[in-house]
């Protein structure tokens, strides 16, 4: 799937939704529906097929072993050929998606703030040996040496949920090139996330 820039700020309102809106459940439902509509607008080619693919991935009860499995999910109304065509020919307006993510309310902490951090993770030019996933030493029979696997490095900015939880919400992802300066990329990325969050009114 190709990506392209552009896009404008987006903020999720709570007015004019379902009947009886006002309690937390209805507000959460409306926020989700608002984000889903905006996600659809981020797709500039094969929008219907890509939206169905997202629905199928989210609704699948267990892990996805192969893409063709998603075409069997109830939310996916097309064959597996259309699924692959959407990934090959679809386009995503990445800048608009960044604004859409910034418009979703951040998880609130006790002090009224929110938690977010920049972190590196492995993700097609520019691929090299990257540190493998962290595995508990017990599962590696006491061998805690870093495993190097082929991949692409990404810089991710994620919001951390408050309290005793491991949930995070991705706010931005940037693929790092072999000649990129990590500090410069991270600084620009964090600056952009902050600007979008402020513009969204958080």
């Amino acid at each position: 799937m190709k990506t392209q820039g552009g896009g404008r700020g987006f903020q999720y309102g709570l007015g004019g939704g379902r009947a009886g809106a006002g309690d937390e459940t209805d507000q959460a439902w409306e926020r989700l529906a608002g984000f889903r509509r905006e996600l659809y607008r981020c797709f500039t080619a094969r929008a219907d097929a890509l939206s169905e693919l997202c629905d199928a991935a989210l609704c699948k009860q267990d892990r996805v072993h192969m893409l063709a499995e998603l075409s069997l999910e109830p939310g996916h109304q097309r064959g597996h050929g259309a699924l692959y065509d959407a990934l090959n020919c679809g386009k995503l307006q990445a800048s608009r998606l960044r604004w859409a993510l910034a418009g979703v309310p951040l998880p609130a902490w006790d002090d009224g703030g929110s938690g977010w951090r920049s972190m590196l993770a492995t993700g097609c030019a520019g691929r090299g040996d990257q540190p493998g996933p962290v595995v508990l030493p017990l599962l590696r029979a006491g061998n805690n040496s870093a495993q190097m696997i082929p991949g692409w490095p990404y810089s991710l900015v994620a919001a951390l949920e408050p309290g005793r939880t491991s949930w995070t919400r991705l706010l931005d992802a940037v693929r790092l090139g072999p000649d990129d300066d990590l500090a410069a990329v991270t600084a620009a990325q964090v600056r952009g996330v902050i600007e979008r969050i402020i513009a969204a009114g958080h």
Side-chain angles (χ1 to χ4, degrees):
M1 182 174 62
K2 301 177 182 178
T3 62
Q4 61 189 38
R8 297 174 55 86
F10 180 78
Q11 188 170 1
Y12 297 93
L14 297 177
R18 301 163 54 210
D23 61 20
E24 293 182 5
T25 301
D26 286 331
Q27 289 182 1
W29 178 269
E30 194 167 345
R31 287 193 191 103
L32 177 60
F35 177 77
R36 190 175 182 276
R37 287 190 298 269
E38 185 62 16
L39 176 63
Y40 180 86
R41 296 184 186 105
C42 293
F43 299 130
T44 59
R46 304 294 199 277
D48 290 337
L50 288 173
S51 294
E52 287 187 10
L53 178 58
C54 290
D55 289 342
L58 289 173
C59 294
K60 196 171 189 316
Q61 294 300 312
D62 55 355
R63 64 181 295 186
V64 178
H65 298 280
M66 62 185 69
L67 286 172
E69 292 179 347
L70 294 176
S71 65
L72 302 176
E73 290 297 309
H76 197 278
Q77 303 297 315
R78 303 160 195 268
H80 66 275
L83 182 152
Y84 287 107
D85 180 66
L87 291 174
N88 288 327
C89 302
K91 291 183 180 179
L92 170 70
Q93 199 171 11
S95 178
R96 183 166 188 161
L97 178 58
R98 286 188 172 101
W99 281 102
L101 290 170
V104 179
L106 291 171
W109 290 57
D110 293 337
D111 60 3
S114 62
W116 54 276
R117 66 181 178 182
S118 178
M119 55 187 176
L120 289 179
T122 54
C124 288
R127 189 176 81 164
D129 288 337
Q130 309 298 330
V134 176
V135 181
L136 293 176
L138 178 63
L139 300 179
R140 294 184 59 121
N143 180 9
N144 59 0
S145 59
Q147 176 187 8
M148 303 302 287
I149 58 175
W152 297 271
Y154 281 82
S155 176
L156 308 177
V157 178
L160 306 179
E161 293 282 350
R164 296 182 177 182
T165 174
S166 60
W167 287 102
T168 61
R169 184 161 66 79
L170 187 63
L171 295 174
D172 193 37
V174 175
R175 181 183 291 176
L176 299 171
D179 300 323
D180 286 341
D181 182 283
L182 178 58
V185 171
T186 301
Q189 185 181 17
V190 171
R191 187 180 303 113
V193 169
I194 292 174
E195 290 173 351
R196 291 191 293 272
I197 289 175
I198 292 173
H202 301 317

